[in-house]
Amino acid sequence: RHVERPGTGARHVIRDAEMTAATVQAQTVATTTGAATGTGTAERFASGKGHRDENFPVASILLKRDYRAPILAFYRFARAADDVADNVAAPAAERLAVLDDMHAALAGTGGAEPTATALRDVLTARDLDPRHGLDLLTAFSRDCTEDRTADWQALIDYCRVSAMPVGRYVLDVHGEDPDLWPANDALCAALQIVNHMQDCGKDWHALGRVYLPADRMAAHGVSVDDLARPAATPGLRALLTELAHRTDDLLAKSAGFAGRIRDRRLGLEVAIIHRLCVDLNARLKVRDPLSERVHHTKAEALGLAARAVAGRLLGRA
């Protein structure tokens, strides 16, 4: 089987892995137009963000061609649902109605939302269960009605429906053993929490949401107003450092994940994702996400990916 050399395959992966600042734009015009025309699909909420704009690889060229299409179908579904939930210009009831339509279409009980029906066709063709997509809809529905996170366990519970299903779906598409789910869940939770820490200011400013645990904010004397400051207060820095250390535990639990995956290409991609996440989490211990760049430049991500690929190939030699 052909596997790209670290110096070449990693370059392709970084087209997908390049860290970009997450931007959420209010869709007021689209919402108004959709309401006037009676459009009931998620399309009118679209942010325009694609899989190459995400923080970590999505269906990268490292994966076998046969697996990339079903993963992209899942991504388009997830992106559409996420855009609906994040469109704070639309009333929560309106967003929930679209998410309910997506749920019905994916579950096969009705509904006609295009990305959900397309994903259901993929699932049917591959004899896969829709539960991972349905779990995601639970998370996005929660985002429409809840804007605070009580404690660390509540954050992990949110990751259980917002992040872990993504990795589980990719494993299922590849026919991997469900015994890998605990390692997958730890890595996916780490990825989600790193994103929440990195985007804590943007989430509050653009969406009015706070994913940082409220009990730990109180313990460090951090208020939501601190998330709107141009730079982090000492209390917020201490909070983010504490959360980063807790995220280290999740990354440690997933450290051997890539090596246990049967599909070598998927193992390489997971190794890259893990390496990128470890580095970002380390940065959050020393950098201020409100005033400093945390995300990787293309060159930084390329170097980390190349080392991850080299390590996996040498480890399998």
Coordinates of all heavy atoms in Angstrom, one line a residue, residues 195-270:
N195 N -10.3 24.0 21.6 CA -11.0 25.0 20.8 C -11.8 26.0 21.6 O -11.9 27.2 21.4 CB -12.0 24.3 19.8 CG -11.2 23.8 18.5 OD1 -10.2 24.3 18.2 ND2 -11.8 22.8 17.9
H196 N -12.5 25.4 22.7 CA -13.3 26.3 23.5 C -12.3 27.3 24.3 O -12.7 28.5 24.5 CB -14.0 25.5 24.6 CG -15.2 24.7 24.0 ND1 -15.9 25.2 23.0 CD2 -15.8 23.5 24.4 CE1 -16.9 24.4 22.7 NE2 -16.8 23.4 23.5
M197 N -11.2 26.8 24.7 CA -10.2 27.7 25.4 C -9.7 28.8 24.4 O -9.6 30.0 24.7 CB -9.1 26.9 26.0 CG -9.5 26.1 27.2 SD -8.1 25.4 28.1 CE -7.5 24.2 27.0
Q198 N -9.3 28.3 23.2 CA -8.7 29.2 22.2 C -9.7 30.3 21.8 O -9.4 31.4 21.5 CB -8.3 28.4 21.0 CG -7.6 29.1 20.0 CD -7.1 28.2 18.9 OE1 -5.9 27.9 18.7 NE2 -8.0 27.7 18.1
D199 N -11.0 29.9 21.7 CA -12.0 30.8 21.2 C -12.9 31.4 22.3 O -14.0 31.8 22.0 CB -12.9 30.1 20.2 CG -12.2 29.6 18.9 OD1 -11.1 30.3 18.7 OD2 -12.6 28.7 18.2
C200 N -12.5 31.3 23.5 CA -13.4 31.8 24.7 C -13.9 33.2 24.5 O -15.0 33.5 24.8 CB -12.7 31.6 26.0 SG -11.1 32.5 26.2
G201 N -13.0 34.1 24.0 CA -13.4 35.4 23.8 C -14.4 35.6 22.6 O -15.4 36.3 22.7
K202 N -14.1 34.9 21.5 CA -15.0 34.9 20.4 C -16.4 34.3 20.6 O -17.4 34.8 20.2 CB -14.4 34.2 19.2 CG -13.1 34.8 18.7 CD -12.4 33.9 17.7 CE -11.0 34.5 17.4 NZ -10.3 33.5 16.5
D203 N -16.4 33.2 21.4 CA -17.7 32.6 21.7 C -18.6 33.5 22.5 O -19.8 33.5 22.3 CB -17.4 31.3 22.5 CG -16.9 30.1 21.6 OD1 -17.0 30.2 20.4 OD2 -16.3 29.2 22.1
W204 N -18.0 34.2 23.4 CA -18.8 35.1 24.2 C -19.2 36.4 23.4 O -20.4 36.7 23.4 CB -18.0 35.6 25.5 CG -18.6 36.7 26.2 CD1 -18.1 37.9 26.4 CD2 -19.9 36.6 26.9 NE1 -19.0 38.7 27.2 CE2 -20.1 37.9 27.5 CE3 -20.9 35.7 27.0 CZ2 -21.3 38.2 28.2 CZ3 -22.0 36.0 27.7 CH2 -22.2 37.2 28.3
H205 N -18.3 36.9 22.7 CA -18.6 38.1 21.9 C -19.6 37.9 20.8 O -20.6 38.6 20.6 CB -17.3 38.7 21.3 CG -17.5 39.9 20.4 ND1 -17.9 41.1 21.0 CD2 -17.5 40.1 19.1 CE1 -18.0 42.0 20.0 NE2 -17.8 41.4 18.8
A206 N -19.4 36.8 20.0 CA -20.3 36.5 18.9 C -21.5 35.8 19.2 O -22.6 35.9 18.5 CB -19.5 35.8 17.8
L207 N -21.5 34.9 20.1 CA -22.6 33.9 20.4 C -23.2 34.1 21.8 O -24.3 33.5 22.0 CB -22.1 32.5 20.2 CG -21.4 32.2 18.9 CD1 -20.8 30.7 18.9 CD2 -22.4 32.3 17.7
G208 N -22.6 34.8 22.7 CA -23.1 34.9 24.0 C -23.0 33.6 24.8 O -23.7 33.4 25.8
R209 N -22.0 32.7 24.4 CA -21.9 31.4 25.0 C -20.6 31.4 25.8 O -19.6 32.0 25.4 CB -21.9 30.3 24.0 CG -23.2 30.1 23.3 CD -23.2 28.7 22.6 NE -24.2 28.8 21.5 CZ -24.0 28.4 20.3 NH1 -22.8 28.0 19.9 NH2 -24.9 28.5 19.4
V210 N -20.6 30.7 26.9 CA -19.4 30.4 27.7 C -19.2 29.0 28.0 O -20.1 28.4 28.7 CB -19.4 31.2 29.1 CG1 -18.1 31.0 29.9 CG2 -19.6 32.7 28.8
Y211 N -18.2 28.4 27.4 CA -18.0 26.9 27.6 C -17.0 26.6 28.7 O -16.9 25.5 29.2 CB -17.5 26.3 26.3 CG -18.4 26.3 25.1 CD1 -18.3 27.2 24.1 CD2 -19.5 25.3 25.1 CE1 -19.2 27.1 23.0 CE2 -20.4 25.3 24.1 CZ -20.2 26.2 23.0 OH -21.1 26.2 22.0
L212 N -16.4 27.7 29.2 CA -15.5 27.5 30.4 C -16.3 27.2 31.6 O -17.4 27.8 31.8 CB -14.7 28.7 30.6 CG -13.8 29.3 29.4 CD1 -13.1 30.5 29.8 CD2 -12.9 28.2 28.9
P213 N -15.9 26.2 32.4 CA -16.7 25.8 33.6 C -17.0 26.9 34.5 O -16.1 27.6 35.0 CB -15.9 24.7 34.2 CG -15.0 24.1 33.1 CD -14.7 25.3 32.2
A214 N -18.3 27.2 34.8 CA -18.6 28.3 35.7 C -18.1 28.2 37.1 O -17.7 29.2 37.7 CB -20.2 28.4 35.7
D215 N -18.0 27.0 37.6 CA -17.5 26.8 39.0 C -16.0 27.2 39.1 O -15.6 27.8 40.0 CB -17.8 25.4 39.5 CG -17.0 24.3 38.8 OD1 -16.7 24.5 37.6 OD2 -16.8 23.2 39.4
R216 N -15.3 26.8 38.0 CA -13.8 27.2 38.0 C -13.6 28.7 37.7 O -12.7 29.3 38.2 CB -13.1 26.3 37.0 CG -13.2 24.8 37.3 CD -13.0 24.4 38.7 NE -11.7 24.9 39.2 CZ -11.4 25.1 40.5 NH1 -12.4 25.0 41.4 NH2 -10.2 25.5 40.9
M217 N -14.5 29.2 36.9 CA -14.4 30.7 36.7 C -14.6 31.4 38.0 O -13.9 32.3 38.4 CB -15.5 31.1 35.7 CG -15.3 30.7 34.3 SD -16.6 31.2 33.1 CE -16.4 33.0 33.2
A218 N -15.6 31.0 38.8 CA -15.9 31.6 40.1 C -14.7 31.4 41.0 O -14.3 32.4 41.8 CB -17.1 31.0 40.7
A219 N -14.1 30.2 41.0 CA -12.9 30.0 41.9 C -11.7 30.9 41.6 O -11.0 31.2 42.5 CB -12.5 28.5 41.8
H220 N -11.6 31.3 40.3 CA -10.5 32.1 39.9 C -10.9 33.6 39.8 O -10.1 34.4 39.4 CB -9.9 31.7 38.6 CG -9.2 30.4 38.6 ND1 -7.9 30.3 39.1 CD2 -9.5 29.1 38.3 CE1 -7.5 29.0 39.1 NE2 -8.4 28.3 38.6
G221 N -12.1 33.9 40.3 CA -12.6 35.3 40.2 C -12.8 35.8 38.8 O -12.6 37.0 38.6
V222 N -13.2 35.0 37.9 CA -13.3 35.4 36.5 C -14.8 35.6 36.2 O -15.7 34.7 36.6 CB -12.8 34.3 35.6 CG1 -13.0 34.6 34.1 CG2 -11.3 34.1 35.8
S223 N -15.2 36.7 35.6 CA -16.5 36.9 35.2 C -16.6 36.9 33.7 O -15.6 37.0 33.0 CB -17.0 38.3 35.7 OG -16.3 39.4 35.0
V224 N -17.8 36.9 33.1 CA -18.0 36.9 31.7 C -17.5 38.2 31.1 O -17.0 38.2 29.9 CB -19.5 36.6 31.3 CG1 -19.9 35.2 31.6 CG2 -20.4 37.7 31.9
D225 N -17.5 39.2 31.8 CA -17.0 40.5 31.3 C -15.5 40.4 31.0 O -15.0 41.1 30.1 CB -17.2 41.6 32.3 CG -18.7 42.0 32.5 OD1 -19.5 41.7 31.6 OD2 -19.1 42.5 33.6
D226 N -14.8 39.5 31.7 CA -13.4 39.4 31.5 C -13.1 38.8 30.1 O -12.0 39.0 29.6 CB -12.7 38.5 32.6 CG -12.7 39.1 33.9 OD1 -12.7 40.4 34.0 OD2 -12.8 38.4 34.9
L227 N -14.1 38.1 29.6 CA -13.9 37.5 28.2 C -14.0 38.5 27.1 O -13.6 38.3 26.0 CB -14.9 36.4 28.0 CG -14.9 35.2 29.0 CD1 -16.1 34.3 28.7 CD2 -13.6 34.5 28.9
A228 N -14.4 39.7 27.5 CA -14.6 40.8 26.5 C -13.4 41.8 26.6 O -13.3 42.7 25.8 CB -15.9 41.5 26.7
R229 N -12.5 41.5 27.5 CA -11.3 42.4 27.6 C -10.3 42.2 26.5 O -10.3 41.2 25.8 CB -10.6 42.2 29.0 CG -11.5 42.5 30.2 CD -10.7 42.2 31.5 NE -11.5 42.4 32.6 CZ -11.6 43.6 33.3 NH1 -10.9 44.6 32.8 NH2 -12.3 43.7 34.3
P230 N -9.5 43.2 26.2 CA -8.5 43.0 25.2 C -7.4 42.1 25.5 O -6.7 41.5 24.6 CB -7.9 44.5 25.0 CG -8.2 45.2 26.3 CD -9.5 44.6 26.8
A231 N -7.2 41.8 26.8 CA -6.2 40.8 27.3 C -6.7 40.1 28.5 O -7.6 40.6 29.2 CB -4.9 41.5 27.6
A232 N -6.3 38.9 28.7 CA -6.8 38.1 29.8 C -6.3 38.6 31.1 O -5.1 39.1 31.3 CB -6.3 36.6 29.6
T233 N -7.2 38.6 32.1 CA -6.8 38.9 33.5 C -5.9 37.8 34.1 O -5.9 36.7 33.5 CB -8.0 39.1 34.3 OG1 -8.7 37.8 34.4 CG2 -8.9 40.2 33.8
P234 N -5.2 38.0 35.1 CA -4.5 36.9 35.8 C -5.4 35.8 36.2 O -5.0 34.6 36.1 CB -3.9 37.6 37.0 CG -3.7 39.1 36.6 CD -4.9 39.4 35.8
G235 N -6.6 36.1 36.6 CA -7.5 35.0 36.9 C -7.9 34.1 35.8 O -7.9 32.9 35.9
L236 N -8.1 34.8 34.6 CA -8.5 34.0 33.4 C -7.3 33.2 32.9 O -7.4 32.0 32.5 CB -9.0 34.9 32.3 CG -9.3 34.3 31.0 CD1 -10.4 33.2 31.2 CD2 -9.8 35.3 30.0
R237 N -6.1 33.8 33.0 CA -4.9 33.0 32.6 C -4.7 31.8 33.5 O -4.4 30.7 33.0 CB -3.6 33.9 32.7 CG -3.5 35.0 31.7 CD -3.4 34.4 30.3 NE -2.3 33.5 30.2 CZ -2.5 32.2 29.7 NH1 -3.7 31.8 29.4 NH2 -1.5 31.4 29.7
A238 N -5.0 32.0 34.8 CA -4.8 30.8 35.8 C -5.9 29.8 35.4 O -5.6 28.6 35.5 CB -5.0 31.3 37.2
L239 N -7.1 30.2 35.1 CA -8.2 29.3 34.8 C -7.8 28.5 33.5 O -7.9 27.2 33.5 CB -9.5 30.0 34.5 CG -10.6 29.2 33.9 CD1 -11.0 28.1 34.8 CD2 -11.8 30.1 33.6
L240 N -7.3 29.1 32.5 CA -7.0 28.4 31.2 C -5.8 27.5 31.5 O -5.8 26.4 30.9 CB -6.6 29.5 30.2 CG -7.8 30.3 29.7 CD1 -7.3 31.4 28.7 CD2 -8.9 29.5 29.0
T241 N -4.9 27.9 32.3 CA -3.7 27.0 32.6 C -4.2 25.7 33.3 O -3.8 24.6 33.0 CB -2.7 27.7 33.5 OG1 -2.2 28.8 32.7 CG2 -1.5 26.8 33.8
E242 N -5.2 25.9 34.3 CA -5.7 24.8 35.0 C -6.5 23.8 34.0 O -6.3 22.6 34.1 CB -6.7 25.3 36.0 CG -7.4 24.1 36.8 CD -8.5 24.6 37.7 OE1 -8.3 25.5 38.5 OE2 -9.7 24.1 37.6
L243 N -7.3 24.4 33.1 CA -8.0 23.6 32.2 C -7.1 22.9 31.2 O -7.3 21.7 30.8 CB -9.0 24.4 31.4 CG -10.1 25.1 32.2 CD1 -11.0 25.9 31.3 CD2 -11.0 24.0 33.0
A244 N -6.0 23.5 30.8 CA -5.0 22.9 29.9 C -4.3 21.7 30.6 O -4.1 20.7 29.9 CB -4.0 23.9 29.5
H245 N -4.1 21.8 31.9 CA -3.5 20.7 32.6 C -4.5 19.5 32.7 O -4.1 18.4 32.5 CB -3.0 21.1 34.0 CG -1.7 21.9 34.0 ND1 -0.5 21.3 33.7 CD2 -1.4 23.2 34.4 CE1 0.4 22.2 33.8 NE2 -0.1 23.3 34.2
R246 N -5.7 19.8 32.8 CA -6.7 18.8 32.9 C -6.9 18.1 31.5 O -7.1 16.9 31.3 CB -8.1 19.3 33.3 CG -8.1 19.8 34.7 CD -9.5 19.9 35.3 NE -10.1 18.6 35.6 CZ -11.2 18.5 36.4 NH1 -11.8 19.5 36.9 NH2 -11.7 17.3 36.6
T247 N -6.7 19.0 30.4 CA -6.7 18.4 29.1 C -5.5 17.6 28.8 O -5.6 16.6 28.0 CB -6.8 19.6 28.1 OG1 -7.9 20.4 28.4 CG2 -7.0 19.1 26.6
D248 N -4.4 17.8 29.5 CA -3.2 16.9 29.3 C -3.6 15.5 29.7 O -3.1 14.6 29.1 CB -2.1 17.4 30.3 CG -1.3 18.6 29.7 OD1 -1.3 18.7 28.5 OD2 -0.7 19.3 30.5
D249 N -4.5 15.3 30.7 CA -4.9 14.0 31.0 C -5.6 13.3 29.9 O -5.4 12.1 29.7 CB -5.8 14.0 32.3 CG -5.0 14.5 33.5 OD1 -3.8 14.4 33.6 OD2 -5.7 15.0 34.5
L250 N -6.5 14.0 29.2 CA -7.2 13.5 28.1 C -6.2 13.1 26.9 O -6.3 12.0 26.3 CB -8.2 14.5 27.5 CG -9.3 14.8 28.5 CD1 -10.1 16.0 27.9 CD2 -10.3 13.6 28.7
L251 N -5.2 13.9 26.7 CA -4.2 13.7 25.7 C -3.4 12.5 26.0 O -2.9 11.7 25.1 CB -3.4 14.9 25.4 CG -4.1 16.1 24.7 CD1 -3.4 17.4 24.8 CD2 -4.4 15.7 23.3
A252 N -3.1 12.3 27.3 CA -2.3 11.1 27.7 C -3.1 9.8 27.5 O -2.6 8.8 27.1 CB -1.9 11.3 29.2
K253 N -4.4 9.9 27.7 CA -5.3 8.7 27.5 C -5.4 8.3 26.1 O -5.6 7.2 25.7 CB -6.7 9.0 28.1 CG -6.7 9.1 29.6 CD -8.2 9.4 30.1 CE -8.2 9.5 31.6 NZ -9.6 9.9 32.0
S254 N -5.1 9.3 25.2 CA -5.2 9.0 23.7 C -3.9 8.9 23.1 O -3.8 8.9 21.8 CB -6.1 10.1 23.1 OG -5.5 11.4 23.3
A255 N -2.8 8.9 23.9 CA -1.5 8.9 23.3 C -1.2 7.7 22.4 O -0.5 7.8 21.4 CB -0.4 9.0 24.4
G256 N -1.7 6.6 22.7 CA -1.5 5.4 21.9 C -2.5 5.1 20.9 O -2.5 4.0 20.3
F257 N -3.5 6.0 20.7 CA -4.6 5.8 19.9 C -4.2 5.5 18.4 O -4.6 4.5 17.8 CB -5.5 7.0 19.9 CG -6.7 7.0 19.1 CD1 -7.3 5.8 18.7 CD2 -7.4 8.2 18.7 CE1 -8.5 5.8 17.9 CE2 -8.5 8.2 18.0 CZ -9.1 7.0 17.6
A258 N -3.3 6.3 17.9 CA -2.9 6.2 16.4 C -2.3 4.8 16.2 O -2.6 4.2 15.1 CB -2.0 7.3 16.0
G259 N -1.5 4.3 17.1 CA -0.8 3.0 16.9 C -1.7 1.8 17.0 O -1.4 0.7 16.5
R260 N -2.9 2.0 17.5 CA -3.9 0.9 17.6 C -4.8 0.8 16.5 O -5.6 -0.2 16.4 CB -4.7 1.0 18.9 CG -3.8 0.9 20.2 CD -4.7 1.3 21.4 NE -5.8 0.4 21.6 CZ -6.9 0.7 22.3 NH1 -6.9 1.8 23.0 NH2 -7.9 -0.1 22.4
I261 N -4.8 1.7 15.6 CA -5.7 1.8 14.4 C -5.2 0.9 13.3 O -4.0 1.0 12.9 CB -5.9 3.2 13.9 CG1 -6.6 4.1 15.0 CG2 -6.7 3.2 12.6 CD1 -6.6 5.5 14.6
R262 N -6.0 0.0 12.8 CA -5.6 -1.0 11.8 C -5.2 -0.3 10.5 O -4.2 -0.6 9.8 CB -6.6 -2.1 11.6 CG -6.8 -3.0 12.7 CD -7.7 -4.2 12.3 NE -8.9 -3.8 11.7 CZ -10.1 -3.7 12.4 NH1 -10.1 -4.0 13.7 NH2 -11.2 -3.4 11.9
D263 N -6.1 0.6 10.1 CA -5.8 1.3 8.8 C -4.7 2.3 9.0 O -4.7 3.3 9.8 CB -7.1 2.1 8.4 CG -7.0 2.7 7.0 OD1 -6.3 3.8 6.9 OD2 -7.6 2.2 6.1
R264 N -3.6 2.0 8.2 CA -2.4 2.8 8.5 C -2.5 4.3 8.1 O -2.0 5.1 8.8 CB -1.2 2.2 7.6 CG 0.1 2.7 8.0 CD 1.2 2.0 7.2 NE 2.5 2.2 7.8 CZ 3.7 1.9 7.2 NH1 3.6 1.3 6.0 NH2 4.8 2.1 7.7
R265 N -3.3 4.6 7.1 CA -3.4 6.0 6.7 C -4.2 6.7 7.8 O -3.9 7.9 8.1 CB -4.1 6.0 5.3 CG -3.3 5.6 4.2 CD -4.1 5.7 2.9 NE -3.2 5.4 1.7 CZ -3.2 6.1 0.6 NH1 -3.9 7.2 0.5 NH2 -2.4 5.8 -0.4
L266 N -5.3 6.1 8.3 CA -6.1 6.8 9.3 C -5.2 7.0 10.5 O -5.3 8.0 11.2 CB -7.3 6.0 9.7 CG -8.2 6.5 10.8 CD1 -8.7 7.9 10.5 CD2 -9.3 5.6 11.1
G267 N -4.4 6.0 10.8 CA -3.4 6.1 12.0 C -2.5 7.3 11.8 O -2.2 8.0 12.8
L268 N -2.0 7.5 10.6 CA -1.2 8.7 10.3 C -1.9 10.0 10.6 O -1.4 10.9 11.2 CB -0.7 8.7 8.9 CG 0.4 7.6 8.6 CD1 0.7 7.6 7.1 CD2 1.6 7.8 9.4
E269 N -3.2 10.1 10.1 CA -4.0 11.3 10.3 C -4.2 11.5 11.8 O -4.1 12.7 12.3 CB -5.3 11.2 9.5 CG -6.1 12.5 9.7 CD -7.2 12.6 8.7 OE1 -6.9 13.0 7.5 OE2 -8.4 12.3 9.1
V270 N -4.6 10.5 12.5 CA -4.8 10.6 14.0 C -3.5 11.1 14.7 O -3.6 11.9 15.6 CB -5.4 9.3 14.5 CG1 -5.4 9.4 16.1 CG2 -6.8 9.1 14.0

